[in-house]
């Protein structure tokens, strides 16, 4: 006898017995018994009916790498790992209004022009609205087939009849499966719609791209609940006020994760940015205290960004620590190391750190650039404008070389920098022709760069 299981249709929590109120989210009357996916009486366990034997193969099966279609939007192709793989399921997540529909309409047009039969299903906008957007983007002539629909059953039937090579579903939160008893946007709806669509993709050899809104208040289910079902997860990020948008691969079964594509939102849609470093540094003015250029690596390519710090006496008993584009915990660690190993306290001082251009950085190699920006702000002493900084700081105050040192230096040289501060060790190759300063610990770095700490 199979064990019964119950789950909450609002938050997705599962339970072994029914109750009126979900312990997970506190909602009433949302718990119901899970029905098995396969047809047949619920009480029968899978083992009681013989299935078919599945074919087993070994690991050395020789198969050609999947053929890929590139769309011509180079930044998108790059993030996909070199183009679109047939029968793959891709999730594109991002905040509402960030530009997902714009990106995917452009992608749909490009893929259609490249010869793929493409269907774009909008659950959020009427066809006329999408056509207006296409007109604005100059894509009216692309052979994309368009539908405005939210009923999943109708969509699947249509896809089965039309047999497209690419289907774009905008967005998964508006899809409504009539066999699931909860509102569109709830966890169970989103999960089952995504499951239906991804299995459809595999079975019929259609690539599907699902759009998912990231939600802060939890009113609708976020893309996280479907991340594990798809082959590729891309997040479209950026600050609303900025024109830069970054498409980041956080999972990719067919290519490197962590790869980024950089776009600029213009009046005529998204334009690709092939040289992000130049763009990120373009707003940089005269050298000023607290501003340091970090030579980072995003995926396979080097990207230079400006780190900005502001340190000011705090009127509060608990000084503020505000971070945009970097990890707050990591900032606390660097402040602690500066105090413990170099005797430079930040008590009584408010600290603000910002990564310019709306970029988000997660590399530990940014530690040294952050420390440099903090010290520069605190001492009110600007670093030379032609210097890049990178390296990881350990709790002991020692500096660790960053991976791909040579690539970082080369990119810096390409953009006109003449000097670099990077930890000793690590392959520098020719060093990109830069004047190198190579401290081995934080105290040495502080002494060298800011005189006596
Ligand atoms: P949209 O693609 O609708 O966002 P999402 O699907 O992620 O919710 O993008 C909406 C924003 O993009 C909107 O604020 C206007 C802006 N935009 C431009 O700046 N230029 C354009 O060419 C287009 C189509 C949109
Ligand atoms: Mg949209």
């Amino acid at each position: 006898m199979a064990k019964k299981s119950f789950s909450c249709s609002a938050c997705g929590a599962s339970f072994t017995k029914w109750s009126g109120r979900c312990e997970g989210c506190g909602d009433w009357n949302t718990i119901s018994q899970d029905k098995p996916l396969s047809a047949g009486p619920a009480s029968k366990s899978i083992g009681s009916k013989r299935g078919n034997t599945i074919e087993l193969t070994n690991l050395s099966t020789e198969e050609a790498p999947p053929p890929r279609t590139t769309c011509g939007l180079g930044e998108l192709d790059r993030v996909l790992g070199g183009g679109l793989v047939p029968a793959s399921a891709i999730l594109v997540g991002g905040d509402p209004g960030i530009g997902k529909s714009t990106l995917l309409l452009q992608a749909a047009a490009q893929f259609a022009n490249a010869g793929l039969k493409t269907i774009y299903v909008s659950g959020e906008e009427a066809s006329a609205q999408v056509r207006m957007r296409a007109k604005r983007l100059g894509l009216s002539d692309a052979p994309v087939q368009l539908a405005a629909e939210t009923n999943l059953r109708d969509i699947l039937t249509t896809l089965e009849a039309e047999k497209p090579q690419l289907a774009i579903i905008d967005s998964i939160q508006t899809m409504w499966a009539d066999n699931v008893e909860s509102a569109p946007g709830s966890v169970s709806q989103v999960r089952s719609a995504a499951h239906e669509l991804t299995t459809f993709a595999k079975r019929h050899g259609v690539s599907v791209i699902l759009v998912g809104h990231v939600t802060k208040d939890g009113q609708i289910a976020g893309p996280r609940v479907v991340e594990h079902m798809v082959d590729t997860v891309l997040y479209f990020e950026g600050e609303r006020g900025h024109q830069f948008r970054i498409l980041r691969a956080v999972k990719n079964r067919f290519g490197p994760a962590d790869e980024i594509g950089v776009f600029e939102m213009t009046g005529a849609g998204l334009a690709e940015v092939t040289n992000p470093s130049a763009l990120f540094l373009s707003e940089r003015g005269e050298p000023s205290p607290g501003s340091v250029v970090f030579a980072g690596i995003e995926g396979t390519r080097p990207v230079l960004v400006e780190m900005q710090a502001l340190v000011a006496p705090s009127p509060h008993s608990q000084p503020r620590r505000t971070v945009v584009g970097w990890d707050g915990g990591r900032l606390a660690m660097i402040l602690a190391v500066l105090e413990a190993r170099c005797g430079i306290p930040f008590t009584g001082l408010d600290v603000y750190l910002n990564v310019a251009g709306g970029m988000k950085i997660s590399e530990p190699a940014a530690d040294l650039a952050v420390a440099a920006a903090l010290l520069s702000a605190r001492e009110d002493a600007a670093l030379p404008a032609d210097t890049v900084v990178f390296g990881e700081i350990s709790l002991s105050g020692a500096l660790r070389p960053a991976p791909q040192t040579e690539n970082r230096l080369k990119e810096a040289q390409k953009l006109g920098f003449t000097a670099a501060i990077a930890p000793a060790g690590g392959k520098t190759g020719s060093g990109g022709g830069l004047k190198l300063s190579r401290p081995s610990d934080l105290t040495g770095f502080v002494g060298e760069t800011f005189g006596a700490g």
Side-chain angles (χ1 to χ4, degrees), residues 88 117-122 144-149 151-170 172 175 193-210:
S88 58
K117 179 167 177 173
T118 306
I119 293 185
Y120 183 99
V121 182
S122 176
V144 177
Q145 286 177 294
L146 183 64
E149 183 54 68
N151 186 319
L152 191 63
R153 197 181 288 273
D154 294 348
I155 292 172
L156 289 174
T157 309
T158 312
L159 294 183
E160 204 169 338
E162 291 286 334
K163 300 192 174 38
Q165 285 154 299
L166 171 63
I168 295 174
I169 309 291
D170 184 4
I172 188 71
M175 291 300 127
H195 176 75
E196 294 280 353
L197 284 159
T198 47
T199 37
F200 180 87
K202 302 289 158 197
R203 204 169 335 119
H204 295 267
V206 181
S207 296
V208 294
I209 302 183
L210 310 175

Side-chain angles (χ1 to χ4, degrees), residues 75-143:
E75 295 294 299
L76 177 61
D77 289 335
R78 168 207 296 281
V79 177
L80 287 174
L84 184 72
V85 175
S88 58
I90 297 159
L91 172 72
V92 178
D95 289 328
I98 204 72
K100 299 180 296 297
S101 302
T102 309
L103 174 73
L104 290 175
L105 190 59
Q106 288 182 250
Q110 297 271 10
F111 277 118
N113 286 332
L116 292 191
K117 179 167 177 173
T118 306
I119 293 185
Y120 183 99
V121 182
S122 176
E124 296 185 346
E125 292 163 301
S127 301
Q129 273 176 295
V130 181
R131 274 197 295 271
M132 248 161 61
R133 186 194 298 250
K135 190 169 167 212
R136 179 168 164 192
L137 299 172
L139 303 171
S140 300
D141 297 332

Side-chain angles (χ1 to χ4, degrees), residues 325-381:
W326 206 53
D327 179 27
R330 199 90 194 165
L331 173 71
M333 189 196 100
I334 292 191
L335 292 172
V337 175
L338 280 170
E339 173 152 12
R341 308 295 171 198
C342 310
I344 306 173
F346 284 80
T347 32
L349 297 170
D350 284 338
V351 174
Y352 302 89
L353 182 77
N354 178 38
V355 181
M359 180 80 182
K360 287 194 180 72
I361 304 250
S362 52
E363 265 195 292
D367 291 354
L368 194 58
V370 170
L374 293 172
L375 290 168
S376 157
R378 188 180 184 277
E379 307 297 320
D380 201 25

